[in-house]
Amino acid sequence: MQPTPDTFDSPGPVRATGAEKAASLGVSGPAAFLYWRGHSTGWVLPTLIVIAAAVVEVATDDRFRAVSWMVLAPGVAAALCSVRGTAFLALFALAVYVLVTAVVRPTVSPWPVLVLLVIGGALAVFACVVRISHAERLSRMSVVADTTRRAVLRPFPPGLGGLEQAALYLPANSEARVGGDFYDIQPSPWGTRVVVGDVQGKGLEVVETAAALLGTFREAGYHERSLAAVASRLEIRLKRQVAYRLDLGAEQDRDRFATAVMIGYPAGEPGVVEMVNFGHEPPLLIGPDGTTGALPGAHGLPLGMSDIADLPPPVLRVPIPAGATLLLTTDGVTEARNAAGDFYPLREEVARAAARDPALRRPEGVVRFVREGVLLHSGGHLEDDTTIFSVRRPGPDEPPAWERSAREAGPYSGVPPREGGSPREGRRRHSRFRLGPVPLRLPRRVPRSRSLPRLRAWRRSRATGAQG
C-alpha cells in the first residue's frame, strides 16, 4: 500500500488544483487527470466524440459515414461519468445523430446506427450502474480495511513513552492495507518497551495472529517487570493461537511462527537498552555522530518454536550512546530486490547517509530515507510486507520527546508555503502529518493566549489519553 497524500486546506484566495481535489477525494493515478479545479471532466471526451463525428459527417460525402462514431460516446461515458451523466450523453448522441441525419443525409436510412445508439446507450447506462455499485463496495471495504489497520497498528501520539519515533508500513497487497508485520510501543512503570515482528505466511490468518501478539504485548509489556516475562507471554500466546486455529480445522497454521525483536528502555538508565531477539534482523544503531552498526546480541528461536528447544531467548543489556537512534525493519526491506535480483543494501545505504546528513540520524529522517531507497531499488514492486520503524530516546540534556515533537511537527511547524503564499498560510494548510500507519489529525492552531506550561500540559493529556 502506498501512503495516501496529505490533504491541504487552502485559506483565503488560494484555490485547490485538480490534483489536490482528486487527492482529497481519494483519487489517484490516471483518474486524477479527470479533475480540474475541483470539478469532474469525464464528460468532455464523450462530448468531443459526438461533436467530432457530427463535424466530420457534415464535411464528407455519403461514403464515409462518420456519424456512426457516435456509438462510441455512451460506452466512453459509462467508464468516466455518473449514471445521470451517461444517460444524458447517450440521449445527446442520439439527438445529434437524428439531427445530422435529417438535415445532412435525408436520403440515407438512419435505422442501423439508430438501433445501435439506442441499444448501446441502454447498455452503457447499465454498465455505469454496475461500475458505480462496485466502486461503492470497494470504498466500504477500504474503510473496513483502514479500521482494521488502525486497530492492529495504532497511531502513536508525539513522544509516547518518552521516545521520539517514526513508523511506516507498506503492505505487499495494496488493497488489503494490512498484513503480518506488527509493531508497537508500550510504556510501563519499568520503562518503555518496543516490539517489531513479522508473522510467517500471508492472508487474513497472519493478520489475526499479529493482532493476538500485539494484544499480549500491550498487556504484558505494561504489567510485567522483566522483559523475559514479556517474551515468555508472547511465546505462550502464539502457541495458544496456533492450537485455536487447528481446532478450527486450519491445518495451514500448524507450523505458524513469527520473528520479532523486542527492545526495552529501562527507566532511569538512559545509556542502556535491553533486547530480546526472536530470530529477527538485528536493529541498526545510528549514533549521534553518524556511526552506524548492528546492535550486538545473540539470536533466539522465533516465536512458536519452543517445541524444538524449550530455551527462552536471552535478555541482553546493551550500552548505547545517549541520543542514539534504533532502526528496526522487517524482511520486506532487507529482501527487496532490484531488476538484477540484488537485495537492498540497507546497512551500507544507511551508514553512508547518516555519516553525511545529521537529519538522517533521527527517526523521521531515516524512515523517509529507507522508504525512498527501498521503493527506488525495487521499482515500486514489493514482494513482501514492509515495515520501517525507528525510535530514539532523547539525551539527558535534551527537551522531552513530546515537547520537541510539538515544536517540530505541531501546528507551528515550519512547513514551506506554496509559491506566492506566506509562511502562515503554509502552516495552516498543513493540518495533518503522519506518525504511524495512519495520519493523526492535530488541531490546526493553538490559541496564542496559551502559555508554554499550558501547552505542555495539553500535550501530556493528549499522550496520556492515547496510551489509555
Side-chain angles (χ1 to χ4, degrees), residues 13 18 31 37 91 108 136 151 164 228 246 262 275 289 326 384 413 463:
R37 290 190 176 182
L91 293 175
V108 178
E136 291 175 349
E164 178 185 351
L246 290 177
M262 191 162 46
M275 182 179 71
D289 58 353
L326 293 180
D384 199 359
S413 61

Side-chain angles (χ1 to χ4, degrees), residues 154-171:
R154 59 182 180 179
F156 303 135
L160 177 62
L163 301 181
E164 178 185 351
Q165 82 280 329
L168 180 70
Y169 175 63
L170 301 174

